[in-house]
Amino acid sequence: MKHPLSYAHYPAVVSVSEARARGASDYDIRSGRGFPPATWGIRFDNSVSTEFPVPIWADEAWIAEAKLLIAIAHRHPGVVACRETAARLYGWPLPHSVGRDILHLGTSDTNKRIRRRGITLHRMRMLRSIEWLKLPVLSPLQVFSQLASVCSVESLVKIGDAAIGDWKSPPQFALATLVAHISETKHLRAKPKLEAAVDLIREGVDSPMETDLRLWAVSRNLPEPAVHPAVYCPTIDRTLHPDLGYPREKLALEYEGDHHRTSEYQWAADIDRVNALRAAGWTVIRVTKSTNRHQLERDIRQHLGQQ
């Protein structure tokens, strides 16, 4: 699936000497008039802009981080976004405990130093960079490996489901490729944690909430539900794919986010969908963030004949 993009006009990035060559006075440089500071020694030229692709889900914080990365890369060629910064640029669902006040950069230059507040430089023996939306970013597989130092197994699974899925950004890698990377790469930090996460990553997941629900079921010693099982519904002559399900017992679990409630169209479509599944002989349990999980567990066990 090709994801739609919007476009933003980023101001040109110039050094202080380049700004002076463009007619900026010392006062312009000090005050930031027309040439606001990006980072030490680097200015933005608001009179000149370049069009950059931006994901439609990107917010102002995403754009600000992208602009800062471009400015830093202009002053320090060869650096790339890595760790949490790269994960945010990829659109991966980082846990709320991970802050965004640090710009994480990677370099293969062992002598490189960037001593600036808000920037952490990671020197890497093996650095594989890509261009992501015209931004220099560490390869997705390496970024995923790095996140083991700041994420739990559950968070890594959520990120992995997103990275191989198609719910926000295009897939960054295939599950088989990730498995090979983790198993074949030597000296990975927290490798047991990465291996545990990879064992729980599944293809075709649409959202982090689906991952949460699936992992919750596993944590309660329930059978792992299938992701998007195929259900032919004769009343509408279509095959539907509930979020999660137990095909043998014909039990579907549907996670309902707030947009299911606030959108009149989505609400009506959900009703038609549930009716079609039930007419096909399936039981549908609808789940929200406020669902009582103890009751949910009892309902699932009863339907699976585990009580």
Side-chain angles (χ1 to χ4, degrees):
M1 177 179 177
K2 185 176 178 59
H3 285 242
L5 297 171
S6 58
Y7 289 86
H9 287 84
Y10 295 171
V13 176
V14 297
S15 66
V16 171
S17 59
E18 289 169 336
R20 288 197 175 101
R22 296 185 182 203
S25 65
D26 288 342
Y27 174 76
D28 293 333
I29 298 298
R30 289 194 303 271
S31 67
R33 185 181 67 176
F35 292 87
T39 185
W40 186 83
I42 298 295
R43 296 291 189 270
F44 289 126
D45 183 352
N46 285 332
S47 67
V48 180
S49 65
T50 302
E51 189 176 68
F52 274 78
V54 174
I56 59 172
W57 46 262
D59 56 14
E60 290 301 317
W62 190 99
I63 292 175
E65 199 161 32
K67 288 167 62 177
L68 180 57
L69 172 62
I70 293 169
I72 294 293
H74 183 82
R75 181 171 178 79
H76 301 279
V79 300
V80 299
C82 66
R83 287 177 52 115
E84 297 96 303
T85 300
R88 284 191 292 270
L89 294 174
Y90 284 138
W92 295 351
L94 288 170
H96 295 302
S97 59
V98 174
R100 60 186 314 153
D101 54 336
I102 300 293
L103 188 76
H104 291 275
L105 301 174
T107 179
S108 58
D109 184 351
T110 57
N111 297 314
K112 186 72 176 176
R113 300 289 187 274
I114 301 179
R115 295 187 177 92
R116 293 295 158 195
R117 185 178 180 181
I119 295 176
T120 298
L121 184 66
H122 304 269
R123 286 174 286 278
M124 305 171 61
R125 185 176 303 173
M126 293 293 295
L127 186 152
R128 299 181 179 88
S129 65
I130 68 167
E131 185 179 271
W132 172 257
L133 303 177
K134 294 189 177 181
L135 302 171
V137 185
L138 189 68
S139 71
L141 288 171
Q142 286 187 287
V143 174
F144 183 85
S145 300
Q146 289 180 327
L147 295 177
S149 63
V150 293
C151 291
S152 65
V153 170
E154 291 76 13
S155 293
L156 287 172
V157 176
K158 193 182 300 184
I159 292 167
D161 281 356
I164 70 170
D166 199 39
W167 64 272
K168 194 171 183 180
S169 290
Q172 278 92 16
F173 46 74
L175 179 55
T177 305
L178 176 61
V179 170
H181 170 73
I182 299 301
S183 64
E184 296 170 5
T185 304
K186 297 179 180 179
H187 311 302
L188 279 178
R189 284 187 181 178
K191 189 166 186 175
K193 185 192 291 188
L194 289 166
E195 291 172 336
V198 168
D199 284 343
L200 291 168
I201 293 172
R202 300 291 180 264
E203 296 176 325
V205 178
D206 283 340
S207 74
M209 290 75 73
E210 288 181 20
T211 302
D212 281 338
L213 185 56
R214 188 182 83 247
L215 294 181
W216 167 83
V218 172
S219 73
R220 301 307 302 166
N221 292 318
L222 290 164
E224 181 179 344
V227 176
H228 300 308
V231 182
Y232 175 68
C233 300
T235 58
I236 58 173
D237 193 25
R238 281 177 53 203
T239 297
L240 298 181
H241 299 268
D243 294 335
L244 299 168
Y246 297 95
R248 188 177 65 181
E249 295 83 2
K250 293 189 175 182
L251 173 63
L253 306 178
E254 290 277 70
Y255 188 90
E256 312 285 5
D258 283 343
H259 71 284
H260 291 262
R261 174 181 55 84
T262 57
S263 167
E264 184 176 345
Y265 171 82
Q266 186 65 55
W267 183 252
D270 288 343
I271 291 174
D272 291 342
R273 176 184 176 89
V274 170
N275 287 341
L277 288 168
R278 288 174 175 165
W282 280 61
T283 298
V284 179
I285 299 179
R286 304 175 78 177
V287 183
T288 72
K289 63 181 180 181
S290 301
T291 295
N292 184 311
R293 292 298 175 98
H294 295 296
Q295 182 61 49
L296 176 61
E297 181 181 351
R298 288 192 291 268
D299 292 342
I300 294 174
R301 288 193 184 281
Q302 180 175 347
H303 196 89
L304 297 181
Q306 292 189 354
Q307 286 188 326

